[in-house]
Amino acid sequence: QVQLVESGGGLVQAGGSLRLSCAASGRTFSIATMGWFRQAPGKEREFVSRINWRSGGTYYADSVKGRFTIFRDNAKNTVYLQMNSLKPEDTAVYYCAASPRGGTSIITNWYDYWGQGTQVNVSS
């Protein structure tokens, strides 16, 4: 089992920045991919970004490309999501996820482990 704990959400004005963190514990050696998803009220959970745990290769949704950056600290078993130039439409609960599978998957079923989520609110 892998446990994931997110932190770093909050309220920010449009154009501002936030950094989310996701600390992994447990069987972290089994992790191949870590990702971030988000879910706004009344909407389905959507892919934001993912990182290959070993190679560091990254992939982003078009909606956040150029504004968000995902990176990891293997020594701390932590993945981060740096969010810049935030927009009101970025408001959502952000979830960290981990998968033992590699590859560029943007579907929720690819990921076996999920954090509890952290709320991000961007005001206009």
Side-chain angles (χ1 to χ4, degrees):
Q1 291 288 341
V2 173
Q3 294 79 43
L4 304 173
V5 178
E6 302 104 331
S7 60
L11 174 63
V12 64
Q13 289 188 331
S17 298
L18 280 175
R19 178 179 291 183
L20 306 183
S21 301
C22 174
S25 60
R27 297 171 60 89
T28 57
F29 60 86
S30 67
I31 297 174
T33 305
M34 291 194 72
W36 287 96
F37 287 74
R38 66 186 182 186
Q39 189 166 18
K43 294 187 177 182
E44 293 187 353
R45 193 169 298 188
E46 66 172 3
F47 171 81
V48 175
S49 181
R50 71 96 177 128
I51 187 166
N52 183 289
W53 196 244
R54 295 176 180 83
S55 71
T58 59
Y59 185 75
Y60 298 91
D62 288 342
S63 59
V64 306
K65 201 173 295 183
R67 300 188 298 123
F68 290 11
T69 302
I70 188 171
F71 59 99
R72 77 204 191 290
D73 184 333
N74 292 57
K76 295 182 178 180
N77 290 324
T78 299
V79 64
Y80 303 91
L81 186 68
Q82 178 67 41
M83 306 186 294
N84 299 330
S85 302
L86 282 161
K87 305 175 181 180
E89 51 263 45
D90 293 319
T91 294
V93 177
Y94 283 71
Y95 296 91
C96 174
S99 173
R101 309 167 193 84
T104 302
S105 180
I106 64 172
I107 61 172
T108 57
N109 288 347
W110 190 258
Y111 297 85
D112 294 354
Y113 308 104
W114 293 84
Q116 81 286 354
T118 185
Q119 179 72 48
V120 171
N121 290 307
V122 184
S123 63
S124 56

